[in-house]
Amino acid sequence: MNMPPAPITLPLGVEQIAAMLPHRYPFLLLDRVLAFEHGTRVTALKNLTFNEPFFQGHFPGHPVMPGVLIIEAMAQAAGMLVKLSAQHNVDVPSIFYLVKVDKARFNRTVVPGDQLRLEVEHKRRMRNMSQFWGRALVDDVVVAEAEMLCAEVAAG
């Protein structure tokens, strides 16, 4: 008998996120999950400070968050959506890999002091893969967006 998922108390903090995702410093790129709709969408935050390791070399004197890390943050938000929705076999340890990015657009640079709001929507599932649409916003302005395909593979 399938039981409905346990209710989720939001917001989720970084400790709860780290318990669900395999990422660790410096590649855990989510600080908080603000909103969640089972199987459909998630909203997460990444607070950016000058102390982020990537700002030291990208670019000295003009720190900018690399676009690939913005995409990675959206993919991690997609991972949270999957984990919170339990759309995977919880009896078999697995990892979700980002396997394809399409329609990526970067509209503005992301700099220290920005708060990146990540909004990800699940579009469809095909066998062991899921397609997502994500966008990143700073102050309600879309700074990046992309379509992402993630594959679930057995861990180990």
Side-chain angles (χ1 to χ4, degrees):
M1 178 178 191
N2 285 343
M3 299 293 292
I8 295 169
T9 302
L10 296 173
L12 297 180
V14 71
E15 295 86 8
Q16 294 158 300
I17 294 166
M20 297 176 139
L21 294 180
H23 308 81
R24 295 296 175 263
Y25 178 85
F27 284 102
L28 181 57
L29 298 174
L30 302 180
D31 293 319
R32 183 162 291 166
V33 173
L34 298 177
F36 164 72
E37 190 176 315
H38 187 271
T40 306
R41 63 179 45 101
V42 69
T43 301
L45 290 181
K46 170 62 179 160
N47 295 306
L48 296 157
T49 71
F50 185 71
N51 295 327
E52 303 288 345
F54 49 81
F55 283 141
Q56 304 315 307
H58 195 265
F59 300 97
H62 184 69
V64 174
M65 183 177 190
V68 295
L69 292 182
I70 297 171
I71 299 290
E72 173 63 23
M74 286 191 284
Q76 289 181 22
M80 285 301 299
L81 175 56
V82 170
K83 293 288 189 176
L84 290 168
S85 299
Q87 294 176 332
H88 61 289
N89 185 345
V90 295
D91 298 325
V92 178
S94 63
I95 293 179
F96 289 82
Y97 288 109
L98 180 61
V99 296
K100 185 177 179 183
V101 176
D102 280 326
K103 301 175 186 163
R105 292 181 49 102
F106 301 95
N107 304 321
R108 172 173 102 57
T109 58
V110 176
V111 299
D114 283 346
Q115 184 178 66
L116 203 57
R117 188 173 80 233
L118 306 153
E119 298 177 350
V120 175
E121 184 177 328
H122 184 259
K123 301 309 270 181
R124 66 185 182 135
R125 182 159 174 92
M126 308 140 297
R127 290 184 291 264
N128 70 324
M129 293 190 281
S130 287
Q131 184 180 42
F132 302 92
W133 177 256
R135 64 185 197 157
L137 301 95
V138 173
D139 297 327
D140 293 323
V141 174
V142 176
V143 296
E145 54 192 339
E147 185 178 90
M148 300 164 290
L149 185 65
C150 299
E152 179 181 17
V153 298

